[in-house]
Amino acid sequence: MVRSDGESKRTWRATGGAVPATFRERFLQGEPVEGGVRTPILNSWQRCRSLGLSPDQSDLPFREDFDRDGPLVRASGPVLDRLQSRFAGTEMNISVADASGTVLLRRFGEAALARSLPAIQRVPGFVFAEQFAATNGIGLALAERQLIRVHGAEHFAERSQASACRAIPVRDPLSGRIEGVLCLGYPRSAEDPALVTVIRKAAEAIERRLLEQSSGRERALLRAYVGTGADAAVGLHHGVGVDELARELRPRDRAILLEKATELISSAQRAAVDVSLPDGRRVTLVSRPMTSASGVEGMAIEVLLPGPSSRQRLPLPRRVDELLGFPAEPAGLPVVEPSGYVPGAPASGRHSATPPSGLPPDAASGQGATDGQGAITIGVAGATDDHPDSQPPARGLVLVGEPEVGKYALAARRRLELLSEASARIGTTLDVRRTAEELAETAVPRLADFATIDLPEAVLRGEESADPGSDLRRAVVHGIRDDGHFSPVGKRVHFGPTAPQLRCLTSGQAVLEPDLKAAAGWLAKDPEHTEQLLTQVHSLIAVPLVARGVVLGVASFYRSQDAAPFGDDDRSLAHELATRAALSMDNARRFTRERTMVLALQRSLLPQGLPDQEAVEVAHRYLPAESDVGGDWYDVIPLSGARVGLFVGDVVGHGMHSAATMGRLRTAARSFAELDFPPDDVLTHLDNVVGRLDREDPAADGVGIVGATCLYAIYDPTSQQCVMARAGHPPPALVRPDGTVSFLDLPAGPPLGLGGLPFETAEIHLPEHSQLVLYTDGLIEDRHRDIDVSLDSLRGALAHPERTPEETCEAVLERVAPAHPSDDIALLVARTHALDPHRIADWDLPADPALVSDVRANAIRQLDDWGLDEAAFVAELLLSELVTNAIRHGSGPIRVRLIHGPTLICEVYDTSNTAPHLRRAAATDEGGRGLFLVAQLAQSWGARYTPEGKVIWAECGLDAT
């Protein structure tokens, strides 16, 4: 470009990023354009379409009553003059509009440009709000409340297709409220990224001038205060300057007084309040109205320092009004607390004052009241007017300001307090839904009157949502009342493309709608519901819940009809609250996902069903910890001779590592049990396994990190004897048929993994229909109660022998388990059965091969009595081989036993410890085929050791016969 005076001017080149006109045409024809149009522009187009605006519309509202000399005009004028000089000779159109979109000022880089443009582009007074002018710089900056760019075909109106603009909101530095918009318009071929810096600095200059105007008003108030000659008017007081006051009070004291003084200014009422300082002293703050020569109205706050004693308030004159240099108010003037609350008059007709928020209850004792003549009186604690010799207090100015400025300061402090409170209240649990509830409870009523939070179902499960905008369900509804017309919790919610909630999810920024009635397309899909909702609320902030790049949902904050609308400071506060909550929710979501994975692993490693056996009737429960999953486990293992093995164990720690360790330990335990090792040997082998896991773990670094406890019991229904051993595990409970409950006194044994220490067994007789209850320490150990109390509760829950094992499990968990378990709970209840003696047959015989035929004959007769004639052939062969092997390779005496259960069990006892081994005999071998034949005929076979020797056994399936 070249300026008109011939001076060279930088030429702006067209840049990329503009929306092609084809996208606009496609949008106008109703075709989808997502992905090809910037989000703010697309949102604006959708709002324009919902408002029914036409691209051909050219007329705009015009206001003649706009303020031509308001604060924004006075602050903007010099800045626009400098911009006009900077862009002299160019086609730059510079304008400032107010918060309603009405243009207040215009400047042009080239004077001739003003004469060639239509009136709406050169004459102040036209309204460029989006609902009238469609997508344009001024309207979009007000809607998006941030710096925006509109280029060429991004304009909705046909008349603006050849131009481009950048616009930025101008805010009041004190209130944060948008006062107007600064807009730079230029031909679309003159686009330049450097304009971003130019317009930002210009907006900051306007805001500084707005602040200077406020500072000038405060200086005028201070001059008015000094001009009253208050110190000279008070004959009995010692006047002190601000510097003297600073030396008299410590920094903490001054901070307290400034805080209370700000509250007094914001109340905009004459008042006197007592303030207690940390060292025990009490001072009085007095507010007085001030009016400057230019008509600025404000408040001056003075402090009355006590006399010599810091513990005793000295007497003050009764007519504080007259003493401070302004006439007394009419009778009945109350002393007002900073919040503006005026207490009601008591029956005596005297007005008492309530201390401000944060003051101790006794701070108002004897505080201001009016005497019969209506002047404010200051009551005295420990001193009265009867002591005329008392030294009067000194007085000093604390603060001068306008009430509105005081309200801004109070609001800023309360925002900081709310953020501080949010840090403590949000994220106390690792539960996504509860964290969302904490966000709503923190925001209501301090920020909003109602709050709703919508989350995708996937997030509640701990996952990421593929399309959070269309997969939302109402998770939280919270408000100052319960009669809000909001969708209930659990209902699926849908937001239209122009709804603030969807816009905030798309942009990732909080969206503010100060007036919902003017919000285009808001909840347009459900006009009846919208109409009901608008009877209660009128202002909305929608904030996306985003953490670590993951969209978790959307939070909506509403204000009711009788509350002030939201502002930009509220939007920033809501965004900060939502950001903090989103981080906590994402932590909870990740925890939920990890916990779900570990819990799935844990449950997959636990028994998936109960094996068929007749020794015991079993029920079990597994309850994971509330905070994490641990390594508790249980197992039921059928053993030879109709016996059953019962396991319960606990791996120390929580999380994936403990669950995986539990799986490895349970597999090892099952393997050792199926080898028919006695309980103490099983625990010894498990102790070695845990020690090896420690050594193999690279994170162990030579120090044991894996620990576990275990209890193993073997019950034999043929003898009703139970052999048990435990490794650092809680002892089991025994419920006898008569209802007696006892905790068995078993040798404790060391926890698994210590190594080098032996385990001991105990054998106990269990009457038929007894209940053996095995559990982990999570059931009885709770930091909120003593373990003896837990054991008493467990004893009471078990003292019902008539209950089934399933009913016993339910009763124990309901009565004994902690409400919020911090550790896993595994529970195993086994009701014992006794095998009918008529279903057991045994014979003792010496080690004589000639007696094998007698054994076969006795077995055939017994099978005939049991009605098992079809199994006689297989049983005869099995017994022949087993007895022959015992006689040939073992030592006498020999005992043979048959057990009729779900299978036919053949057992041969001898006193030798020599274990049989299955081998494949060569073609030339005369023997060695006996066990091979047993393995082929039997369903299963094996050997187990006893204190006297060993047992060779084989099971024959009755169905197969």
Side-chain angles (χ1 to χ4, degrees), residues 335-387:
V335 176
V336 184
E337 68 171 351
S339 64
Y341 171 75
V342 181
S348 63
R350 296 168 60 88
H351 296 267
S352 60
T354 301
S357 173
L359 294 183
D362 61 348
S365 58
Q367 186 179 302
T370 58
D371 58 15
Q373 299 176 355
I376 297 179
T377 62
I378 307 295
V380 181
T384 66
D385 290 343
D386 298 332
H387 298 77

Side-chain angles (χ1 to χ4, degrees), residues 253-264:
D253 299 336
R254 293 200 302 274
I256 292 175
L257 291 180
L258 285 174
E259 178 180 328
K260 302 304 177 184
T262 304
E263 294 181 2
L264 282 171

Side-chain angles (χ1 to χ4, degrees), residues 717-748:
T718 64
S719 63
Q720 301 178 43
Q721 293 295 115
C722 185
V723 182
M724 292 173 276
R726 64 186 179 116
H729 201 82
L734 175 61
V735 185
R736 298 184 182 273
D738 61 359
T740 304
V741 180
S742 61
F743 295 95
L744 300 181
D745 186 16
L746 303 182

Side-chain angles (χ1 to χ4, degrees), residues 15 100 185 209 266 273 292 318 320 347 352 357 381 421 427-428 466 486 561 723 760 769 850 942 953:
T15 59
S100 66
R209 291 181 60 82
S266 66
V273 297
S292 70
R318 302 183 68 83
V320 177
S352 60
S357 173
E421 180 182 337
T428 60
F486 295 96
Q561 295 287 355
V723 182
E760 300 180 44
H769 304 309
W953 58 269

Side-chain angles (χ1 to χ4, degrees), residues 696-721:
E696 293 175 353
D697 195 321
D701 195 21
V703 181
I705 62 169
V706 175
T709 65
C710 183
L711 188 149
Y712 180 39
I714 298 177
Y715 173 69
D716 188 346
T718 64
S719 63
Q720 301 178 43
Q721 293 295 115

Side-chain angles (χ1 to χ4, degrees), residues 25-45:
E25 297 302 323
R26 286 169 53 188
F27 175 83
L28 294 176
Q29 294 174 9
E31 299 179 13
V33 294
E34 288 80 359
V37 182
R38 291 186 293 126
T39 299
I41 300 299
L42 181 58
N43 290 339
S44 179
W45 287 0

Side-chain angles (χ1 to χ4, degrees), residues 274-297:
D274 278 356
V275 180
S276 294
L277 300 179
D279 60 3
R281 289 189 300 169
R282 295 170 64 192
V283 299
T284 301
L285 289 180
V286 180
S287 64
R288 55 181 296 191
M290 300 295 302
T291 303
S292 70
S294 59
V296 178
E297 295 182 354

Side-chain angles (χ1 to χ4, degrees), residues 610-620 636 644 646 715 717 768-774 801-809 828-834:
L610 295 178
D612 293 331
Q613 46 81 35
E614 290 188 332
V616 291
E617 178 187 354
V618 179
H620 55 83
V636 179
V644 65
L646 304 174
Y715 173 69
E768 188 175 10
H769 304 309
S770 298
Q771 288 193 9
L772 189 64
V773 181
L774 286 65
E802 73 282 357
R803 288 174 175 164
T804 65
E806 285 289 339
E807 293 171 342
T808 299
C809 285
L828 186 67
V829 178
R831 182 194 293 275
T832 62
H833 297 302

